Amino acid sequence: MTTPITRDGHFDLGGDLRISRMGFGAMRLPASTRGGAPNDRDTSLEVLRRAVELGADHIDTAAFYFHPSGLAANEMIRSALSPYPDGLVIATKVGPYRAPDEPYPSGQLPASGLRAEVERNLRELGRDSLDLVYLRPGGLETPLDEPIGERFEVLAGLREEGLIRHLGLSHVSAAQLAEARAIAPVAAVQNRFDITRPADTELLAICERDGIGYAPYFPLGGFGIPDDDRVKAVAARHGATVPQVLLAGLLALSPVMLAIPGTGSPAHVEENMAAARLELTAADLAELRA
């Protein structure tokens, strides 16, 4: 399959949704740190609007992205951007269970609970259908060896009903990707990956071969910016920041890579979106991959 990447830095998600390869992740809109204080709502709305103004037409969210105080990513996306501009693609995730007072998800929804979670995302976002829904079958520390067919079949059925346009998988193995693809097409994968932690190369290679989008979560390292001398050296040569080199390096690594950095800071959204214009040299990339 021909990789659906255009010359102008876009990707054809699922073959029919053209998006910029630099998008925006909504996880940090309610709070900038896990378990931390809530962000200022007006500032988060400003960040969302500015990200779209700067070219982000792919927003990644989830109904379980909320703060116990009541701030929720889906509600803020709807408030800031609805009525949604033409061409804006919103991706969400289902699978994890999070109680209202929990700092992060603590369990998994059964297959029977996935329809209700999809409908919750539809209500919160004010959409009649969802552009992309990832099944996330496990948490960060959950082994990637359990069958996912029963849960993926539920989402495939919702796709047939027209509630979902494209299906994706998050935090999965190559075997789970193959299991899902035997049921329905998979348009995107979302696994942990950054330039300093390129541990998912097998699955990335499959995505490249078959034209599947690869949207790494934690593209900036996740729990703090990586302290990496290679990245610092490249940043110094370009007069760029370390986060910009981490993002530009991802985009240069593969034509199916879709960066979705998240932030609750207006300054950081400007910095992140500018990384799409940073052109790394062959020498830079060799150094980053050494």
Side-chain angles (χ1 to χ4, degrees):
M1 178 176 177
T2 301
T3 300
I5 179 71
T6 69
R7 294 180 183 273
D8 59 352
H10 288 70
F11 181 85
D12 289 340
L13 182 69
D16 62 2
L17 290 177
R18 179 154 294 187
I19 57 174
S20 171
R21 294 176 64 214
M22 181 67 77
F24 179 81
M27 184 178 71
R28 298 186 187 276
L29 288 175
S32 294
T33 59
R34 178 178 288 188
N39 287 335
D40 176 73
R41 183 175 182 274
D42 288 341
T43 300
S44 291
L45 297 180
E46 177 189 347
V47 166
L48 271 167
R49 296 187 184 108
R50 187 58 178 149
V52 172
E53 288 174 356
L54 293 171
D57 54 12
H58 167 211
I59 296 178
D60 180 85
T61 187
F64 53 85
Y65 288 172
F66 64 83
H67 189 273
S69 66
L71 284 182
N74 281 356
E75 183 278 327
M76 286 190 280
I77 290 169
R78 181 175 183 175
S79 294
L81 303 176
S82 180
Y84 297 109
D86 292 341
L88 179 66
V89 170
I90 299 179
T92 190
K93 290 169 289 297
V94 298
Y97 168 77
R98 181 182 174 189
D101 59 346
E102 289 183 323
Y104 45 85
S106 62
Q108 279 287 313
L109 293 170
S112 60
L114 294 179
R115 172 183 280 273
E117 189 72 354
V118 167
E119 292 173 347
R120 174 187 174 188
N121 277 276
L122 287 167
R123 287 194 307 272
E124 291 179 352
L125 291 166
R127 302 290 292 263
D128 295 324
S129 66
L130 298 169
D131 299 314
L132 172 63
V133 175
Y134 292 96
L135 173 65
R136 185 178 177 90
L140 286 177
E141 307 303 329
T142 302
L144 302 179
D145 57 3
E146 60 185 25
I148 62 172
E150 181 184 7
R151 281 174 286 176
F152 197 73
E153 284 176 352
V154 173
L155 298 185
L158 296 177
R159 175 176 172 267
E160 291 298 317
E161 291 181 31
L163 297 182
I164 300 172
R165 185 163 181 171
H166 291 300
L167 301 176
L169 294 170
S170 177
H171 199 54
V172 292
S173 65
Q176 289 171 318
L177 173 60
E179 180 186 7
R181 295 180 73 190
I183 297 168
V186 173
V189 167
Q190 191 177 102
N191 277 11
R192 184 168 186 177
F193 196 106
D194 71 72
I195 288 297
T196 66
R197 180 183 166 134
D200 197 38
T201 53
E202 177 191 3
L203 207 146
L204 176 59
I206 294 171
C207 291
E208 288 179 342
R209 181 193 70 197
D210 296 339
I212 298 170
Y214 188 98
Y217 65 85
F218 293 163
L220 298 177
F223 303 103
I225 302 297
D227 184 12
D228 189 295
D229 289 339
R230 299 168 301 170
V231 180
K232 291 178 182 177
V234 173
R237 285 200 296 271
H238 286 272
T241 66
V242 165
Q244 287 175 330
V245 171
L246 291 170
L247 294 171
L250 281 174
L251 296 180
L253 181 65
S254 170
V256 302
M257 196 72 78
L258 307 173
I260 48 170
T263 182
S265 161
H268 287 164
V269 77
E270 299 272 351
E271 176 185 350
N272 291 343
M273 293 302 297
R277 303 190 298 272
L278 178 58
E279 296 186 9
L280 301 181
T281 67
D284 292 332
L285 296 175
E287 184 169 354
L288 292 172
R289 297 169 186 170

